[in-house]
Amino acid sequence: MEKSKIIKGAFILTLANIITRILGFVYRVCMADLIGAEGMGLYQLITPVYMLVWSISSSGFSMVISKLSASETACGRSSSVILKISCVLSGVTAAVLSLIVFKNSYFIAERLLGDVRTALSLRLLCFCFPFMALGSCIRGWFFGMQNSFPPAASQVVEQVSRMTIIFLIGGLLIPKGIEYACAAAVTGMAVGEIVSCIYIAISFLTGLKGFKHRNSLRASSALKLILVSVIPLTLNRLTSSLLSALQNVLIPSRLIAFGLSKTAAVSEFGRLSGMAMPLLMFPSSFLTAVSITIVPAISESFAKRQMRSVRRTIEKSILFSSVTGFGAAALFTALPLQISVLVYGEGSISSLLFMLGFLCPFMYLNVMTTGILNGMGEQTPIFINGLAGSAVCLGFVWFAIPELGIGGCILGSLFSMIITCGLNILRLIKKAPFSPDLFSLVLKPMLCALLSALMTDSLSYRLGDVHPKAAALVLCLFLMGAYFLLLLAVGAIKKEDIKSLL
């Protein structure tokens, strides 16, 4: 894949991510006001079930279709057989899981999630699983074909549909209690998946007009390729989702062991996972886009044995993740109260944002290195590395939360990210080979982030009489501007990099 196509695809996905996350913030802020932290906590209990089904039926297929489509195209063959077989496997798997969850919704709610109020939402969620699977497969095919616009547009369509449904039915259901408020949010999620699938399917069928099919793999060969790639990747995502689900179920109970009441524990969990974490992930919009687009890029370069291109792609990708990660860390550790007030109108999550800020460099690097390894076909190492990190995090949830409260969970996430990133980088060095320049990739961005945070802290004392939200916005813009100029001054990023992006 040409460098310009990577940048173009990343830009399109970044724009879509920014739009959907802004819309998502509007939704989350409104929901936080309407149902409170406890309601957000209840909603977050359902999320692991959704992610578990997605991990089994969709995530692996989407990534594999992207990778194999790019490889087949580079070899002059059609990827239609790969897409058809993947859609059948993914769709059937999702349909079976829908029936299982629907039939056992009360058991899952009461025995596994620990709150019977989630049963109604689980049943509503089941209707979108097959659509989610098919939509993910087609989006993966578009990424492999180096066409990022339809998947990006489908993200926006999904978010707009979700918000529209929530605002239409929220007024009717929310007054009935938290159970129905959560059901309104889940209905919006389900409708969003269905509408997004319809949109991406129409885009696919429309794009096939006039498309000349070339020779392709035999069905048996394509099935073997798909299964060899998708099984370890799905196991990785499945294990991560299971551990994440277990973690999400355990956090409220371990907070109760710390001394909180059940209501306070669910509320604290809601503030962490439903309010603070979405803010933490917002700056990673560009990195998520790049990690998706580099999978077919690296896969294509590997197919053509263009190792120099692979190494250059790795170096630039890790540089961008480092720059973004340290910048986000500076933002959340220097201005946690201001950001909390700016987004939610109050400072209840400021302490969480401060602690979570230290995760940013490792969290964002993990996103990027996982995408690079996927492009290299290193699904098994990804699985092992992710398993090691998740086990560490789960250990902290069980042992540290009763002693440290929610801080124990965040500390576990930090160590988990450090371990996973370290293992991923060691694998990259062995596979590429890739020799990281620690001074350029780590020390320069870290120093610039520290200086910009100190400068912003000094400025904050001069804005005492300014409206809190206006002051917060000014300080955020100042920190980002100072960080960018410092990066240019020390040569962490160059003018050529900016010109490339523009």
Side-chain angles (χ1 to χ4, degrees), residues 77 209 238 305 434:
R77 294 191 294 263
K209 293 180 179 179
L238 174 60
R305 306 308 301 170
F434 164 66

Side-chain angles (χ1 to χ4, degrees), residues 104-116 118-119 122:
N104 298 281
S105 58
Y106 283 97
F107 173 81
I108 295 171
E110 184 177 10
R111 298 294 181 87
L112 301 182
L113 301 184
D115 200 318
V116 74
T118 59
L122 288 174

Side-chain angles (χ1 to χ4, degrees), residues 253-297:
S253 66
R254 302 312 286 168
L255 286 172
I256 292 174
F258 176 66
L260 300 182
S261 66
K262 182 176 181 179
T263 298
V266 174
S267 298
E268 185 73 356
F269 175 61
R271 278 188 285 270
L272 173 66
S273 58
M275 298 172 69
M277 285 303 297
L279 279 172
L280 200 72
M281 293 305 298
F282 184 80
S284 68
S285 299
F286 176 72
L287 297 178
T288 304
V290 172
S291 70
I292 293 172
T293 55
I294 62 176
V295 170

Side-chain angles (χ1 to χ4, degrees), residues 269-399:
F269 175 61
R271 278 188 285 270
L272 173 66
S273 58
M275 298 172 69
M277 285 303 297
L279 279 172
L280 200 72
M281 293 305 298
F282 184 80
S284 68
S285 299
F286 176 72
L287 297 178
T288 304
V290 172
S291 70
I292 293 172
T293 55
I294 62 176
V295 170
I298 292 179
S299 179
E300 182 177 324
S301 296
F302 253 69
K304 296 179 179 179
R305 306 308 301 170
Q306 297 173 342
M307 299 307 295
R308 183 180 178 184
S309 175
V310 171
R311 284 192 291 268
R312 289 178 59 189
T313 302
I314 292 173
E315 290 171 359
K316 290 298 181 182
S317 300
I318 290 182
L319 174 62
F320 283 128
S321 68
S322 178
V323 166
T324 307
F326 282 109
L331 194 67
F332 291 118
T333 55
L335 303 170
L337 178 60
Q338 291 87 343
I339 294 174
S340 179
V341 171
L342 180 64
V343 176
Y344 294 109
E346 42 89 19
S348 64
I349 64 168
S350 59
S351 60
L352 294 175
L353 286 178
F354 175 79
M355 291 185 288
L356 288 169
F358 293 98
L359 273 67
C360 289
F362 306 101
M363 182 182 295
Y364 298 173
L365 183 59
N366 187 41
V367 171
M368 191 61 66
T369 54
T370 300
I372 294 170
L373 289 173
N374 271 322
M376 293 180 173
E378 295 291 295
Q379 281 78 28
T380 301
I382 293 173
F383 168 67
I384 296 172
N385 299 348
L387 184 62
S390 297
V392 170
C393 188
L394 191 60
F396 271 84
V397 168
W398 184 261
F399 293 106

